[in-house]
Every structure is written in C-alpha cells, then in structure tokens.
C-alpha cells in the first residue's frame, strides 16, 4: 500500500477523480451512502491538499486509490459493534467505514492534532453520529478500550501493527488491514507478535469494489480468546 503522499508543489487536474466519482458504477456501489461519500471526497478535494492531508498527486486518484480502496474493507467487518481505525489520517478508511456502516461505532485513533481537528470537522459536517475521534498513539489506549475490529491502512508493517493494535481488539475480535500485494512477506516476521495474542492464521483476502478498479489486498487476523 502506498502511503498518502506529502505535498510536492505540483497541481494536477481533478477531472479524472470527478469522472469516476460520478460514474453509475460508483453510485450503484455505494447506494444510499453515495451522497455522503461524495461529500467526503469533495471535502478532501477542496481542502485536503491545502491542509496538508493529501499530496497533490493524490487529487486525481482520490476515488480509486483512497475512497474505493478504503471501501473494500467494509464487507470484511463484523456485522455489528465497534471498529477502531488506527492512524486514520485524513479519514481513510475510518470515515468511509462510518458512512457505509452507520450501525457500527467507529473510533478514529490519530496522534496528529491537525488531523484530529479535520476528522472531527468532517464528522460534524457530514452528520456522522457514530464517530469518536481519539487523539493519541494507539499504544496510549492499551487498556482503555477494546473494539470488535481494528482497521488500518498505511501505518506500519504487520509485526509492529500487531503490537500496537492487537491490544485494542477484544479477545475473539479481528484486525482487518488494508495492505499491498506483498503482504504475505510480512507474515513470518510477525509470527512472534501474533503468537503473543494467540492469534489465528492470518487470511489474505481480495477487496473488490467496482469493475475496472484494481482489487486491493486485505489481511484479516483473529485475536485469540
Ligand atoms: C501514512 S498515514 C496513513 C493515513 C491513512 N490511514 C491513510 O491510509 O491515508 C499514517 C498515519 O498513522 C498515524 N500514526 C503513526 N503512528 C501511529 C500510532 N502509533 N498510533 C496511531 N496512529 C499513528 C500518523 O499520524 C498518520 O496519520
């Protein structure tokens, strides 16, 4: 998974993003969630670069690389309960999850104040009552809460991610992580950390959204009871 780039001073056309974002395939995919997802994309396009949340290279690929990529995790989330998104940044995938799953309580864990201010503003602007923004590093919340599932994208390699995030998963709950194609290489180095949580065998899953948009790789692993 590529990280969201830092601003580099070049400005690209947002028309590609708009074409995909207003396509029938995307509207159908999001269904009743489409209007709020489109509002979130518009906020990111308007303010994301200005506020240092996304780099200019991300503007034309907001829908494909960020919104749809984030949405790919949703089918793998538990049917109810709570999800904590670790290192939410601009709200990826956390805000997309909160929009698509209003029945789930979404905790957005993010240490950078500038980003938590943005996340709270987005939650208010979109009227997302199922979001709690928690400012701090994941490690600071160990023992403070446990969610039914933890999500994460572009935050750390699996071994580190397990140590920082698995304590925030309730026993029997799951980590559901958006990863790159090479995720299998991260599993062996994470074995020791996984064993310390009596975790099950990690599953590598395919996150498919709309036709023509590249599938993403998702890694799901259950915390032992
Ligand atoms: C590359 S960004 C990815 C942001 C977002 N998940 C995305 O995919 O666009 C990594 C984010 O993780 C946050 N982060 C770094 N260390 C963290 C930690 N220990 N606990 C929680 N978040 C952390 C950073 O502040 C940053 O917002």
């Amino acid at each position: 998974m590529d990280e969201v780039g830092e601003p580099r001073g070049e400005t690209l056309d947002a028309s590609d993003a708009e074409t995909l974002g207003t396509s029938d395939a995307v509207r159908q995919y999001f269904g009743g969630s489409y209007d709020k997802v489109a509002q979130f994309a518009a906020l990111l396009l308007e303010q994301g670069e200005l506020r240092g949340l996304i780099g200019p290279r991300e503007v034309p690929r907001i829908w494909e690389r960020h919104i749809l990529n984030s949405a790919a995790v949703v089918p793998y989330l538990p049917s109810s309960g709570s999800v904590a998104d670790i290192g939410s940044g601009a709200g990826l995938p956390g805000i997309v999850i909160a929009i698509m799953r209003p029945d789930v309580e979404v905790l957005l864990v993010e240490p950078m104040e500038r980003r938590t201010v943005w996340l709270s503003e987005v939650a208010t602007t979109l009227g997302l009552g199922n979001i709690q923004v928690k400012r701090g590093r994941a490690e600071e919340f160990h023992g403070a809460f446990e969610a039914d599932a933890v999500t994460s994208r572009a935050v750390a390699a699996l071994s580190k991610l397990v140590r920082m995030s698995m304590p925030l998963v309730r026993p029997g709950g799951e980590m559901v992580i958006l990863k790159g194609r090479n995720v299998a290489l991260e599993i062996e180095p994470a074995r020791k950390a996984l064993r310390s949580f009596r975790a099950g065998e990690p599953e590598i899953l395919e996150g498919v959204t709309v036709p023509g948009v590249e599938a993403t790789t998702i890694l799901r692993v259950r915390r032992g009871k």
Side-chain angles (χ1 to χ4, degrees), residues 26-48:
V26 166
R27 286 175 189 274
Q28 270 169 27
Y29 178 76
F30 286 107
S33 305
Y34 175 77
D35 287 348
K36 282 194 179 178
V37 171
Q39 249 185 296
F40 176 48
L43 287 172
L44 272 175
L45 287 167
E46 266 166 41
Q47 299 180 36

Side-chain angles (χ1 to χ4, degrees), residues 4 86-89 92 110-111 115 137-139 153-155 164:
V4 174
I86 307 304
S88 215
L92 301 160
E110 170 55 51
R115 294 178 180 166
R137 295 162 56 81
E139 298 86 328
R153 189 182 89 140
V155 173
M164 65 195 250

Side-chain angles (χ1 to χ4, degrees), residues 1-6 53-54 65-66 69-70 85-94 109-113 115 119 134 136-141 151-156 160-161 164-165 168 178:
M1 173 65 50
D2 287 352
E3 295 194 351
V4 174
E6 290 302 317
L53 296 157
I54 56 165
R65 293 274 299 270
H66 300 292
N69 183 274
S70 292
D85 184 37
I86 307 304
S88 215
L92 301 160
V109 179
E110 170 55 51
M112 282 188 64
E113 185 178 16
R115 294 178 180 166
L119 293 168
K134 296 203 169 278
R137 295 162 56 81
E139 298 86 328
E140 292 170 50
F141 296 104
T151 56
S152 178
R153 189 182 89 140
V155 173
K160 186 172 173 197
L161 202 55
M164 65 195 250
S165 300
L168 301 179
L178 286 154

Side-chain angles (χ1 to χ4, degrees), residues 73 77 83-86 93-94 97 149-153 174-177:
V73 81
L77 297 176
V83 172
D85 184 37
I86 307 304
I97 294 170
V150 156
T151 56
S152 178
R153 189 182 89 140
E174 292 174 332
M175 286 179 73
V176 190
I177 314 158

Side-chain angles (χ1 to χ4, degrees), residues 86-223:
I86 307 304
S88 215
L92 301 160
I95 296 278
V96 178
I97 294 170
I99 295 171
M100 294 177 75
R101 291 293 305 275
D103 55 319
V104 161
E105 196 63 32
V106 181
L107 293 84
L108 305 179
V109 179
E110 170 55 51
M112 282 188 64
E113 185 178 16
R114 180 163 53 84
R115 294 178 180 166
T116 57
V117 168
W118 159 263
L119 293 168
S120 299
E121 280 178 25
V122 171
T124 304
T125 306
L126 300 187
L128 300 171
N130 58 334
I131 285 183
Q132 277 183 52
V133 179
K134 296 203 169 278
R135 183 177 168 208
R137 295 162 56 81
E139 298 86 328
E140 292 170 50
F141 296 104
H142 291 182
F145 71 80
E146 283 178 349
D148 294 295
V150 156
T151 56
S152 178
R153 189 182 89 140
V155 173
L158 186 63
S159 58
K160 186 172 173 197
L161 202 55
V162 168
R163 275 186 238 104
M164 65 195 250
S165 300
M166 200 63 107
L168 301 179
V169 179
R170 69 160 170 82
E174 292 174 332
M175 286 179 73
V176 190
I177 314 158
L178 286 154
K179 278 284 182 187
R181 255 183 240 123
N182 295 329
V183 64
L185 301 175
E186 294 184 37
I187 294 176
E188 284 313 312
R191 290 275 180 216
K192 192 174 165 197
L194 288 166
R195 268 197 305 274
S196 69
F197 294 100
R198 300 156 49 93
E201 184 59 23
E203 291 171 272
I204 297 175
L205 306 160
E206 208 181 34
V208 180
T209 55
V210 303
V213 167
E214 201 185 337
T216 191
T217 309
I218 292 164
L219 187 133
R220 181 168 66 182
V221 58
R222 187 172 290 279
R223 180 177 178 172

Side-chain angles (χ1 to χ4, degrees), residues 11-20 45 59-63:
T11 303
L12 293 175
D13 188 358
S15 57
D16 291 355
E18 282 160 18
T19 311
L20 179 62
L45 287 167
V59 169
R61 44 194 190 193
I62 280 286
W63 279 93

